Amino acid sequence: MIKANTQRKWLPLYEALASEVRLRILELLAEKTMNLKEIAGRLELSSAILTMHIRKLEVAGLIETKMVRKEGGTHKICSLAETSVEITLPQAGAEERLFYEQNIPIGHYTSFEVQPTCGLATRDKMIGQFDDPRYFLEPERMSAAILWFGKGYVEYKTPNYLHPSQVPEELEISMEIASEAPGSNDQWPSDIRFYVNDIQLGEWTSPGDYGETSRGRFTPDWWAMPLNQYGLWKVLRVNRTGTYMDGQQISNVKISDLQLENNFWTLRFAVEEDADHVGGLTLYGAGFGNYNQDIQFRVYYSQRR
């Protein structure tokens, strides 16, 4: 289930649903998985028009696609990625949750270990050269709005602003993220792991590295195609019952497991050698991708009486 609200990051979801054609595609895929040719035939659409609709549904997280060899050719197979969408609207009189929030720029990592393909860029230019990990220590990396690597990790630190009387109830970590393929490849799975304070929260498989057919909404014009253009907006939550990615439980790690009494907390994104799909990682910040947002780190808390 997708749990959405009125935050602007959900606009691609609402845009994807605001089309009779795309709603019809969802209805067809509820019957069975189909390739592009089958869908185009059922809807009497050209391949170019259908590809545009499929991309919007993919970006919204409503469908998944994969390339399959069949009958002597390669077919793009489409299937539903979700079964429902829950939208929470603002409510008058609703109790407001207390929280602290940090927006962490992409280049503000405090530790890293990366292997090519890799690189960084600001909104205006590349930092150094492609596939040279040395530039991850370049002082200008603090201004990076996109970074990518084929294997390894980047780690960020955030201060713990909770007072002794404030009890953490839930962590919410939001980011625009994708795999990292040479150039780009929409079908390039990667198992990405998430850590807080060295505790592995869980693993999510990114479907691909997007940029083969369309540009990121906020990606600057100088950034060439078909380099990585945009990712998927993912919301990771850790609460008293476990860890969830977009509402789906990915582990039993609870907020009480995370040693949140420390003065500083660490957040690590990793693609490790023992993963089934070592397909790299791309992080998009403000000025790149489809969401124009840095990493958002929010802790909800209650007041101890």
Side-chain angles (χ1 to χ4, degrees):
M1 174 188 291
I2 295 177
K3 293 187 176 182
N5 53 35
T6 55
Q7 291 183 22
R8 303 308 182 263
K9 66 189 179 186
W10 295 110
L11 284 174
L13 171 66
Y14 303 137
E15 180 183 349
L17 292 171
S19 162
E20 184 175 349
V21 171
R22 291 192 284 276
L23 292 177
R24 182 66 181 129
I25 291 172
L26 294 176
E27 291 171 347
L28 291 176
L29 295 180
E31 299 174 9
K32 63 175 183 176
T33 59
M34 294 184 177
N35 62 35
L36 294 184
K37 185 177 180 179
E38 290 175 307
I39 299 172
R42 292 283 294 271
L43 299 179
E44 298 182 350
L45 295 174
S46 70
S47 60
I49 294 297
L50 178 62
T51 298
M52 180 272 291
H53 286 297
I54 292 295
R55 172 57 54 220
K56 287 182 180 294
L57 290 168
E58 273 191 296
V59 169
L62 294 169
I63 70 170
E64 296 175 337
T65 64
K66 61 181 179 180
M67 303 303 292
V68 175
R69 293 285 298 175
K70 184 180 179 182
E71 298 174 354
T74 302
H75 301 265
K76 191 170 189 175
I77 304 297
C78 305
S79 61
L80 291 180
E82 298 290 345
T83 57
S84 60
V85 175
E86 178 182 299
I87 301 173
T88 302
L89 299 177
Q91 298 181 28
E95 183 177 351
E96 185 175 353
R97 298 179 71 188
L98 302 172
F99 65 88
Y100 290 110
E101 182 177 79
Q102 295 263 337
N103 287 313
I104 306 174
I106 294 299
H108 285 211
Y109 50 85
T110 55
S111 179
F112 72 94
E113 183 178 309
V114 300
Q115 296 184 29
T117 53
C118 62
L120 314 92
T122 71
R123 299 178 189 181
D124 302 314
K125 64 177 182 177
M126 276 290 301
I127 297 176
Q129 301 175 359
F130 285 103
D131 299 337
D132 190 338
R134 293 179 299 174
Y135 288 101
F136 274 68
L137 280 176
E138 168 66 37
E140 194 175 13
R141 57 98 170 168
M142 299 294 286
S143 300
I146 183 175
L147 67 79
W148 64 95
F149 55 85
K151 184 167 59 179
Y153 72 87
V154 288
E155 186 172 275
Y156 300 83
K157 282 188 181 294
T158 184
N160 173 11
Y161 288 129
L162 291 175
H163 299 160
S165 62
Q166 295 170 341
V167 181
E169 302 283 349
E170 182 176 70
L171 285 184
E172 180 182 283
I173 304 163
S174 308
M175 79 252 36
E176 185 172 358
I177 193 168
S179 310
E180 161 49 26
S184 67
N185 188 331
D186 289 3
Q187 309 298 323
W188 191 268
S190 185
D191 297 334
I192 299 171
R193 294 170 183 168
F194 304 89
Y195 295 80
V196 168
N197 294 341
D198 296 322
I199 304 297
Q200 183 177 331
L201 302 181
E203 180 180 281
W204 167 72
T205 300
S206 167
D209 180 12
Y210 302 106
E212 291 187 294
T213 58
S214 60
R215 297 189 62 84
R217 183 172 301 179
F218 298 99
T219 299
D221 292 340
W222 66 268
W223 188 252
M225 294 281 285
L227 296 175
N228 31 20
Q229 293 289 322
Y230 59 89
L232 302 176
W233 187 262
K234 307 302 292 183
V235 181
L236 186 67
R237 289 187 175 90
V238 189
N239 57 32
R240 292 177 175 177
T241 62
T243 299
Y244 302 82
M245 179 68 82
D246 295 340
Q248 297 292 323
Q249 187 165 5
I250 61 172
S251 82
N252 293 319
V253 175
K254 302 175 179 61
I255 195 165
S256 58
D257 300 325
L258 299 184
Q259 303 168 11
L260 296 183
E261 67 277 5
N262 299 341
N263 288 334
F264 297 93
W265 302 331
T266 62
L267 169 63
R268 177 179 290 199
F269 303 90
V271 177
E272 297 172 321
E273 290 186 2
D274 63 345
D276 291 335
H277 304 98
V278 183
L281 179 155
T282 304
L283 283 171
Y284 298 84
F288 264 85
N290 277 345
Y291 297 94
N292 203 30
Q293 293 280 345
D294 292 317
I295 301 166
Q296 296 179 347
F297 192 100
R298 180 180 287 190
V299 55
Y300 293 92
Y301 64 90
S302 60
Q303 196 75 37
R304 186 180 286 116
R305 297 183 185 278

